[in-house]
Amino acid sequence: MKIIDAHVHVFPNMQGFRGEGELYPLGNGKGRWANGDVVQMIPEGLGDIGFTYETCHDFLKENGVEKAVILQGSYYGFANEYVAEAVKTYPEMFIGAGTFDPMTRYAEKIYDRLTQELEFPIIKFETSTGGGFMSYHHTFDIEEVFAPFAKKCEKHSQVLVLDIGSPGMSSFQPEAVRNLALKFTGLKIVVCHLLAPTLEEKKTDCFKKSMEKLALPNIWFDLAAVPFNVQPEEYPFASGLEFMKTAKNIVGADKLMWGTDIPSVLVQNSYQKLRDYITEKDVFTTEELDGIYYKNALEVYPFSHR
């Protein structure tokens, strides 16, 4: 079966910034936030202070992955030039997303350069309260802030990728994403992490209602970090599969794309487990799995080598 990992990260060195402040590399895959918290960002053997695109390329090849979508966010740090370099070096595997903080004074100019000079076909905004813009900015209205860029993305046929965090976070605004999709019907929108449901969501109907709001023709979801978000459950992450089954019943399996969120998720689980768990419990048919692992991502993202 052909495989596309629809959510990976590469970075030459740890340069993250979020609510805990800036990230300082300590070596051996560890980093320390400015508040003193130490985190294992990269598993042993895959990088000292960074997860390079060469390492990522070879690692994915070893695990049977044909193509991958490189996304960016505050957790590891923005690396637009580096992601563009990765795509130019391995165009047969990688497609990349550009990113920037929409609150910066020259946000419009940055967008223009990412689009025209670096030629990113994807723009991604990591907005979550947990590790994105709302972890270090005041709470803002996603529709209001991103509408001008959504309009530009639609005009330039770019895919807009949004990480809005988990239910309960101030960044969790599915209604705003719905409004963007309805306002810009020619725009493809991908929501990361299947809305990042946690075990707490099993006690509510928030996930179900949110998926119903987002059941629109131009919205898709990647499945990255679903196992991480249902910790401490272990393989095959039964609650994660339950959330996927709910999503399938509401939006359809053709709206789901498999992905991992490597490298940090490899600290908890092997790539094999992250790759294989969705085949458990008979949640998806063989045909649906073919779409989730490969064909759906090809429909959403404009890979240069299809």
Side-chain angles (χ1 to χ4, degrees), residues 238-249:
S239 294
L241 290 172
E242 287 180 28
F243 289 127
M244 290 181 194
K245 185 175 183 179
T246 298
K248 169 187 168 179
N249 292 337

Side-chain angles (χ1 to χ4, degrees), residues 43-80:
E44 184 177 351
L46 288 181
D48 186 41
I49 63 171
F51 184 58
T52 67
Y53 61 74
E54 294 94 344
T55 297
C56 182
H57 173 273
D58 293 347
F59 178 80
L60 293 175
K61 283 291 186 183
E62 290 169 4
N63 283 279
V65 176
E66 181 180 298
K67 300 178 186 295
V69 183
I70 303 177
L71 301 179
Q72 299 189 59
S74 305
Y75 186 63
Y76 300 111
F78 299 168
N80 287 301

